[in-house]
Amino acid sequence: MVVRTRIAPSPTGDPHVGTAYVALFNYALARRHGGQFVLRIEDTDRQRSHPASEKMIFDALRWLRVSWDEGPDVGGPYGPYRQSERSEIYRQHAEELARKGAAYPCFCAAERLAALREEQRQKKLTLGYDRQCRGLDPAEAARRRQAGEPHVIRLAMPLDESMAVRDLLRGEVRFERPQMDDQVLLKSDGFPTYHLANVVDDHLMKISHVVRAEEWLPSLPKHVQLYRSFGWEEPVFCHLPLLRNPDRSKISKRKNPVSLEYYRRAGFLPEALLNYLALMGYAMPDERQEFSLPEFVGHFALERISLGGPVFDLEKLRWLNGVYLRKLAPRELLERLRGHLLSDEYLLRVLPLCQERIETLEDFFDYAGFFFSGEVAYGQAALSAMVPQGRTPAETAKMLSSLLEEKIDRLVEWTDAVIESELRAFGESAGWSVKELFMAVRIATTGRSATPPLFETLAVLGKETCRRRIRKAADLLKLHHKDAKDTKITKTVTS
Ligand code: GLU
């Protein structure tokens, strides 16, 4: 059997460390067996998918040197590899299932489904479709479709009490009837849902092993049912354990940086990050902790993955990165620095922002330090200056947190124009004047009250760096709030 694996990210946000983790294991499996590793872009969610996010995924995986053999950028025999370019294929497959009676049109209006959900919620039942349209006379359903009545196509799940499916690491997994909803396959606009597109593509792209994150395990009965309905051979399914925060909750940006942009900007070495990710749920036969990608590939076996939720511990990763850094010859270290923070590309973005404001070359280092550091230090004066007259540190902390959650986290494009319009819109909705808001953001992101133009500065710093500095500033202001018993700041000292 030719081993073919894939990573199938949705380009809906920043490239996630979990994507790198899943990509690494798929890559290793394919390389170990001389097979192929495919990159497929799952952009069926038209509202949330963004080309900028797709580009960041490519860049991040390239930076990690987890290379793919087929994908939207390199092509391949089973393309296109971007789902938005395959709509017709999914539509035909949904029709095929409908013809076979393995799927059916559902005409239920959104209001009916909402009322149903509400009722289920109140009765504390598992949410799901009540299969009203499954009983429609096929001739009647065909007539209504012909007449152009809006509808979706749903998968007819088995009506058995339970269903058993196989996962390589878990063996037989049984799902009970309430977990086997009649999933929508094709939406009323003719676009597929993830489930249909994912299974059709895995089959057409001849994927032999579906290795993906554990959060997709509940979808497995639907996927297996799709394979059975089409009469296709199932691939091997293997759901990787979820990465966890040190408190064992699912890895989240509140407790750990999850964007690969963070790791790149902070100067983690790709080989150290891969080594660390490989240790998540995996042990080399000789228990060695440090190994290269080729060594990992050379020993890789899916069966060696253990299911106890691996803890992603940033401190341990930092330590490992330090070990890798210390092994580099000074010249190699220089190359690494030149690869990013000291690259001409980055310096040529920073310098124009500083040129107006320095008199000697050495001034540059003093003035521009915050463009190169990770977090910035906030003295008491800087913290105070973040809090406008008449507002409290707690209010300011809350505002900065909402700015992160409501705006910054949702932004995919990070240009000065976008930043400016989003900040202004946020200020208006949150009731913060432009002057108050910009000063708080300026100090939070740079540690100082006098900087080059704010939006350009934020654009050059990058979203991840801004995000972590704003988070830290908000956390410190909260502490400040405790110490200061939430008194209003009346005297502001700018640094
Ligand atoms: N598009 C899904 C994701 O973003 C892919 C899940 C799968 O690998 O089946 O994670």
Side-chain angles (χ1 to χ4, degrees), residues 291-325:
F291 44 84
S292 68
L293 186 56
E295 284 168 331
F296 179 55
V297 169
H299 286 97
F300 188 71
L302 274 183
E303 293 75 12
R304 293 190 61 83
I305 298 170
S306 63
L307 285 175
V311 172
F312 188 93
D313 179 349
L314 192 58
E315 284 312 309
K316 186 157 180 223
L317 170 58
R318 285 181 66 90
W319 168 82
L320 186 65
N321 200 59
V323 172
Y324 271 80
L325 269 185

Side-chain angles (χ1 to χ4, degrees), residues 6 8-10 42 194 198 212 216:
R6 51 49 163 198
S10 300
E42 298 208 328
Y194 151 75
N198 182 272
R212 63 183 166 196
W216 298 105

Side-chain angles (χ1 to χ4, degrees), residues 6-10 22 40 42 194 198 202 210-213 215-216 223:
R6 51 49 163 198
I7 179 84
S10 300
V22 176
R40 179 172 77 228
E42 298 208 328
Y194 151 75
N198 182 272
D202 281 345
V210 170
V211 181
R212 63 183 166 196
E215 61 190 289
W216 298 105
H223 295 188

Side-chain angles (χ1 to χ4, degrees), residues 196-256:
L196 176 68
N198 182 272
V199 167
V200 166
D201 284 350
D202 281 345
H203 174 72
L204 295 179
M205 295 178 182
K206 296 198 164 37
I207 300 303
S208 61
H209 293 70
V210 170
V211 181
R212 63 183 166 196
E214 195 171 24
E215 61 190 289
W216 298 105
L217 189 61
S219 300
L220 190 53
K222 296 170 188 173
H223 295 188
V224 167
Q225 181 60 19
L226 277 167
Y227 280 94
R228 291 181 187 164
S229 305
F230 281 117
W232 294 338
E233 193 186 332
E234 287 169 34
V236 174
F237 289 104
C238 174
H239 291 82
L240 298 176
L242 220 54
L243 300 183
R244 300 194 176 270
N245 295 313
D247 66 4
R248 309 211 58 87
S249 56
K250 177 182 161 186
I251 194 166
S252 67
K253 58 181 147 221
R254 202 66 187 79
K255 309 222 165 101
N256 252 318

Side-chain angles (χ1 to χ4, degrees), residues 434-454:
V434 161
K435 192 167 156 249
E436 293 174 328
L437 173 68
F438 291 177
M439 185 50 84
V441 171
R442 186 187 303 278
I443 300 176
T445 50
T446 64
R448 27 203 301 183
S449 53
T451 66
L454 181 62

